[in-house]
């Protein structure tokens, strides 16, 4: 009986260990210099596509870098923009993303089993079945842009809860003051492109003379008729056996698409 209890204890401990050691997400796409480390590790490791991410991991995207993270349950996707640092804390009750600096694009599907939050130094943001872009700065405060629906934000400095409308870029100062910003060019272009029939695309695109614009819709092709027959002439001199001769060249040609025939 004692051996049976010991066996059960070892079995349950192994289950607990396996659950805690399983990764919660993986790197899906990486561009530039991105790195990851656990909160208990002293050094960062280079992030590579397919590397597992664990609860407590700190992830950084450096200058001119970008990385995308997919969670194992297919409920959450995160894009880290350049100069961004986050920490992920995940358990069976909640999923928390601590945005330390920089900006992220957060795509979250409704999860019956756990609540999902984004934390900054100033704010706590509840995200449920929404796509949001969040930026934080020690000096300027936070900025929010929600695509699908309005989102609830709790200001940690003055303990107030507010609702941010979707489709508007809202800035929050370190003191908790809200204001609408019209600088949509701050939002990454890939986020704007994720909005169907977005009115912001026109505001962000500034065309120049040398820009090449793709043609959407019905194309207009050249309809001018080209005569397949051509007759050209040439005149010159030719040296044969130290004697100089005058030459007259008559060159008839027939050309249609890739077929060409001619005679000199």
């Amino acid at each position: 009986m004692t051996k049976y209890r010991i066996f059960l204890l070892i079995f349950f401990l192994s289950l607990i260990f396996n659950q805690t050691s399983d990764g919660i997400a993986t790197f899906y796409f990486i561009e530039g210099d991105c790195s990851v480390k656990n909160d208990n590790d002293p050094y960062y490791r280079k992030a590579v596509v397919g590397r597992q991410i664990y609860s407590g991991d700190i992830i950084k995207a450096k200058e001119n870098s970008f990385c995308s993270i997919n969670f194992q349950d297919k409920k959450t996707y995160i894009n880290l923009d350049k100069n961004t640092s986050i920490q992920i804390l995940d358990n069976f009750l909640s999923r928390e993303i601590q945005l330390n600096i920089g900006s992220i694009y957060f795509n979250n599907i409704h999860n019956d089993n756990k609540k999902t939050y984004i934390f900054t130094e100033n704010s706590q943001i509840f995200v449920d079945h929404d796509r949001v872009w969040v930026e934080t700065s020690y000096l300027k405060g936070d900025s929010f842009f929600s695509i699908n629906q309005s989102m609830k934000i709790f200001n940690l400095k003055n303990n107030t809860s507010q609702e941010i409308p979707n489709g508007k870029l809202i800035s929050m100062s370190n003191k908790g003051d809200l204001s609408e910003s019209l600088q949509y060019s701050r939002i990454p272009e890939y986020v704007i492109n994720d909005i169907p029939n977005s009115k912001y695309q026109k505001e962000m695109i500034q065309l120049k003379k040398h820009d090449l614009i793709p043609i959407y819709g019905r194309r207009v092709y050249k309809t001018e008729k080209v005569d397949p027959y051509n007759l050209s002439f040439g005149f010159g001199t030719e040296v044969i056996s130290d004697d100089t001769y005058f030459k007259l060249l008559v060159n008839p040609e027939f050309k249609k698409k890739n077929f060409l025939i001619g005679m000199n």
Side-chain angles (χ1 to χ4, degrees):
M1 191 68 178
T2 304
K3 292 182 179 180
Y4 179 73
R5 291 179 179 177
I6 295 175
F7 173 78
L8 288 178
L9 179 61
I10 295 175
F11 175 74
F12 285 117
L13 288 176
S14 64
L15 286 179
I16 295 173
F17 177 78
N18 288 333
Q19 289 180 354
T20 57
S21 62
D22 286 343
I24 58 172
T26 57
F27 287 101
Y28 179 75
F29 178 81
I30 297 173
E31 184 177 73
D33 188 3
C34 299
S35 56
V36 58
K37 84 176 189 72
N38 192 269
D39 197 21
N40 298 322
D41 294 337
Y43 304 109
Y44 281 91
R45 297 171 293 168
K46 184 177 180 60
V48 295
V49 174
R51 182 187 290 276
Q52 286 197 338
I53 299 170
Y54 301 88
S55 180
D57 279 359
I58 301 172
I59 303 160
K60 284 186 177 181
K62 297 183 180 179
E63 180 70 26
N64 298 323
S65 300
F66 173 91
C67 67
S68 178
I69 297 170
N70 288 358
F71 280 73
Q72 302 286 17
D73 59 7
K74 308 299 182 183
K75 297 292 186 180
T76 306
Y77 307 88
I78 307 174
N79 290 341
L80 277 74
D81 299 321
K82 63 180 182 179
N83 298 322
T84 296
S85 172
I86 68 170
Q87 184 176 21
I88 301 175
L89 300 173
D90 192 274
N91 55 52
F92 65 94
L93 289 178
S94 66
R95 174 167 295 162
E96 300 177 4
I97 310 300
Q98 178 70 43
L99 177 58
N100 301 316
I101 191 171
S103 62
I104 60 173
Y105 181 50
F106 193 86
N107 189 341
N108 187 70
I109 301 174
H110 175 73
N111 192 339
D112 292 328
N113 300 321
K114 63 174 64 179
K115 303 295 183 181
T116 304
Y117 301 91
I118 301 174
F119 285 89
T120 69
E121 185 179 4
N122 303 312
S123 310
Q124 172 185 309
I125 308 140
F126 174 66
V127 184
D128 182 37
H129 201 74
D130 199 359
R131 292 172 293 170
V132 301
W133 180 78
V134 181
E135 181 183 45
T136 188
S137 169
Y138 295 125
L139 300 177
K140 299 179 181 180
D142 300 339
S143 295
F144 316 95
F145 184 79
S146 173
I147 294 179
N148 293 352
Q149 58 188 356
S150 60
M151 59 181 181
K152 298 178 181 179
I153 296 177
F154 182 78
N155 186 273
L156 301 175
K157 295 293 181 66
N158 52 26
N159 295 326
T160 58
S161 180
Q162 295 171 304
E163 190 166 338
I164 302 296
N166 65 311
K168 293 184 178 181
L169 179 59
I170 304 298
S171 297
M172 176 185 288
S173 68
N174 293 328
K175 296 180 180 179
D177 300 325
L178 293 179
S179 61
E180 182 179 356
S181 175
L182 299 178
Q183 299 177 353
Y184 291 100
S185 58
R186 293 167 48 200
I187 305 175
E189 186 175 354
Y190 73 88
V191 177
I192 298 297
N193 291 336
D194 208 21
I195 309 173
N197 302 321
S198 173
K199 65 180 181 180
Y200 310 105
Q201 294 181 9
K202 296 181 180 179
E203 300 177 13
M204 292 184 62
I205 298 176
Q206 298 179 357
L207 301 181
K208 299 179 181 179
K209 291 183 179 181
H210 57 269
D211 287 338
L212 301 178
I213 308 303
I215 301 174
Y216 298 101
R218 188 177 66 180
R219 296 179 181 270
V220 179
Y221 294 94
K222 185 178 181 181
T223 58
E224 179 184 354
K225 293 184 178 180
V226 179
D227 191 352
Y229 300 98
N230 182 48
L231 182 63
S232 60
F233 299 92
F235 180 78
T237 59
E238 187 76 25
V239 177
I240 303 176
S241 300
D242 296 329
D243 294 327
T244 302
Y245 297 87
F246 290 102
K247 68 176 181 178
L248 176 66
L249 174 66
V250 180
N251 180 217
E253 287 183 349
F254 176 84
K255 181 179 180 182
K256 189 172 184 180
K257 294 184 178 179
N258 293 327
F259 178 74
L260 172 64
I261 184 171
M263 182 174 61
N264 292 332

